[in-house]
Amino acid sequence: MVKVVLYTPGELAQSSYVHTGFFELEKQKYLKCYVKIRFKKDLGTLEILKNKKKYSKRPHPKTSFYDVVIDKNKVIRIAIDLDDNPSRFSAPALKTCKYIFKRNFQNYYVNQLSLKHRQKLFPLGITTGCVSKSRHSTLKIYLGLFVYLLLVNIKFDKLLFSRLLTVFKSFKNNFYFDKSNRNIEFLRYRNIKQKKRQVFYQTRCFEDDSAIDTKSLHIYRNKIISQLKSNLGNNFKGGFIKSNVSIKNFNDNISNIKTKDYYKEIANSQITVYSNGLTTSPAWKLVEYLSKGNAIIAENINFELPFKLENNKHLIYFDNPNDCAAKAKKLIRDRKKISFLSKNALDYFHKYVDPMQNIKRIINLLIELEKKK
């Protein structure tokens, strides 16, 4: 039986998807999981900036480490890189791991790495936050996170108290997210009731909108909302989640859907609209849409996937906000196309995105790669 050592991660939101995959496979007796606290800072980030490599000592907390034991004499160290930014790579992972699976895998940046490093990298696929009832060693995972935050943040200087506050605040945020995280069965469950003839797109504004990229993203999302409202009228539901930034800048496009009803609205909508996250990263809502069998109209994606999301089969891609609204207006009148896209979206989730299936794919890939050596 395959054995996997899960080293405690530097954050709990993104890594929850990977952990869920391992613990669900353990429940199926496919492998055995062991959790170990990682007593390392894992400092070092390699970044591609303007076609040049830049190294810094900054941490890379969204990269987590695992030992996959195929047999007694074969231990494979891998890393899962869940960072939003496609241009950043964990230096410790590049140095110590045999294989790295990157969430926002974009060829433009990967191809600028050395051949040695490129050969280690593979697309992870799309992910989302979720948790398994079969998870164990939870206290050890919390303790490992706290240890990591101490190692990365604490220096015995005049700012010690401030650094401690940072540690406790970060730990609290991770802890509360983990406690409210969705059970994987929520994603696997599909409401078989008749869906509403509506197009749903609800998104958020980031609290810090000082960066140009963030402002541009907000403006782009606002254009999508405006075009959908203008073209679909009462058949459109959604808008910006109410926040200080959205009220200040996009008050006319605030959603009246309450946060607690967000997932219900996804499940009840025939059509949902997807747009990329910051740095064109894969947003969690794409997984949510696929899992509920929505007919999806999606912004073109730059990230590579292990299995392609095909245009007009799994979803429909749009080029700009006007194109998005036009395609939504056309699709809402085509029941057969909606049914076709819905079925294929759901199949894609269960075959490739469900964390248990994705992690199983990775384990099998590791075994195949090692056989070739």
Side-chain angles (χ1 to χ4, degrees):
M1 179 183 286
V2 174
K3 297 178 181 178
V4 180
V5 177
L6 288 72
Y7 291 98
T8 50
E11 60 81 47
L12 299 182
Q14 297 284 359
S15 63
S16 66
Y17 172 89
V18 182
H19 285 196
T20 295
F22 281 120
F23 288 125
E24 287 289 290
L25 286 172
E26 184 177 49
K27 182 174 70 175
Q28 300 296 323
K29 302 188 185 305
Y30 184 82
L31 52 75
K32 180 68 177 173
C33 293
Y34 303 88
V35 176
K36 287 188 177 181
I37 295 176
R38 187 167 175 84
F39 293 98
K40 291 187 177 182
K41 294 182 181 181
D42 291 317
L43 297 179
T45 296
L46 180 66
E47 187 169 8
I48 308 297
L49 286 172
K50 297 180 180 179
N51 298 322
K52 293 183 179 180
K53 300 174 190 174
K54 180 183 178 182
Y55 176 82
S56 69
K57 290 188 177 181
R58 66 186 298 171
H60 206 264
K62 291 185 180 179
T63 293
S64 47
F65 297 84
Y66 307 84
D67 283 340
V68 180
V69 185
I70 295 177
D71 58 51
K72 292 181 180 179
N73 300 316
K74 182 68 69 174
V75 179
I76 307 169
R77 171 68 55 85
I78 69 169
I80 309 289
D81 178 353
L82 295 151
D83 201 314
D84 290 336
N85 195 318
S87 68
R88 294 176 186 164
F89 303 85
S90 164
L94 290 171
K95 182 178 180 180
T96 66
C97 295
K98 198 164 188 179
Y99 305 106
I100 302 167
F101 296 87
K102 188 171 179 62
R103 171 173 161 255
N104 195 0
F105 184 108
Q106 295 191 22
N107 283 319
Y108 174 80
Y109 298 104
V110 172
N111 288 340
Q112 295 184 59
L113 299 175
S114 67
L115 177 62
K116 178 183 177 182
H117 289 157
R118 288 202 306 271
Q119 291 175 335
K120 295 184 175 188
L121 279 149
F122 297 85
L124 172 64
I126 51 177
T127 66
T128 190
C130 55
V131 69
S132 169
K133 284 186 178 180
S134 299
R135 180 176 72 170
H136 55 77
S137 308
T138 306
L139 290 177
K140 187 181 285 188
I141 292 171
Y142 289 158
L143 179 59
L145 171 65
F146 192 73
V147 167
Y148 172 81
L149 293 172
L150 285 173
L151 288 171
V152 169
N153 289 283
I154 293 304
K155 293 180 181 179
F156 292 96
D157 55 17
K158 63 181 180 180
L159 297 177
L160 177 60
F161 181 71
S162 176
R163 296 179 193 280
L164 283 170
L165 288 178
T166 298
V167 168
F168 284 108
K169 182 180 179 181
S170 182
F171 180 82
K172 186 177 85 168
N173 290 340
N174 275 273
F175 177 80
Y176 282 129
F177 171 85
D178 189 68
K179 287 299 181 183
S180 62
N181 201 357
R182 299 165 294 193
N183 188 285
I184 181 57
E185 297 305 328
F186 170 83
L187 292 170
R188 290 171 177 163
Y189 171 76
R190 186 189 180 199
N191 184 358
I192 60 173
K193 293 181 181 179
Q194 184 73 27
K195 289 177 177 285
K196 296 178 183 177
R197 187 172 175 267
Q198 67 182 30
V199 177
F200 180 68
Y201 175 64
Q202 182 154 301
T203 189
R204 64 168 172 149
C205 287
F206 293 92
E207 292 181 15
D208 183 3
D209 67 339
S210 58
I212 294 175
D213 287 351
T214 307
K215 284 184 178 179
S216 298
L217 182 69
H218 290 168
I219 292 169
Y220 188 77
R221 289 177 173 180
N222 185 59
K223 287 179 180 178
I224 293 174
I225 295 167
S226 295
Q227 286 297 319
L228 290 170
K229 285 175 67 175
S230 174
N231 283 270
L232 295 167
N234 292 332
N235 290 126
F236 171 71
K237 300 292 180 184
F240 280 112
I241 298 170
K242 192 173 183 179
S243 68
N244 291 333
V245 175
S246 62
I247 292 171
K248 177 184 176 183
N249 299 314
F250 312 109
N251 194 46
D252 291 341
N253 283 338
I254 302 296
S255 174
N256 61 1
I257 305 297
K258 296 179 180 178
T259 303
K260 67 181 180 67
D261 295 326
Y262 172 73
Y263 296 118
K264 186 188 298 182
E265 208 63 42
I266 291 175
N268 289 337
S269 299
Q270 284 187 336
I271 302 169
T272 50
V273 172
Y274 167 81
S275 59
N276 292 316
L278 283 171
T279 63
T280 64
S281 62
W284 283 7
K285 60 165 59 78
L286 184 53
V287 176
E288 295 159 0
Y289 293 169
L290 291 166
S291 76
K292 298 308 173 190
N294 296 125
I296 303 166
I297 299 176
E299 180 181 3
N300 287 307
I301 61 176
N302 294 323
F303 47 86
E304 297 295 319
L305 296 170
F307 302 96
K308 189 176 180 180
L309 277 167
E310 296 182 37
N311 190 33
N312 287 314
K313 179 180 178 181
H314 301 110
L315 39 63
I316 296 173
Y317 289 111
F318 68 83
D319 297 321
N320 53 59
N322 289 343
D323 188 39
C324 173
K327 286 177 174 174
K329 191 174 182 179
K330 181 180 179 181
L331 181 60
I332 202 169
R333 298 193 295 263
D334 192 338
R335 292 183 179 180
K336 287 186 178 179
K337 189 65 174 285
I338 289 172
S339 178
F340 175 77
L341 292 169
S342 174
K343 178 183 180 301
N344 290 335
L346 194 63
D347 286 347
Y348 188 94
F349 170 79
H350 286 295
K351 288 180 181 178
Y352 308 125
V353 183
D354 185 306
M356 182 174 71
Q357 297 301 330
N358 198 6
I359 298 301
K360 186 176 183 180
R361 171 189 70 85
I362 289 173
I363 297 295
N364 289 337
L365 177 60
L366 295 178
I367 293 171
E368 288 300 314
L369 290 170
E370 291 302 305
K371 281 182 181 178
K372 294 177 182 178
K373 297 201 171 182

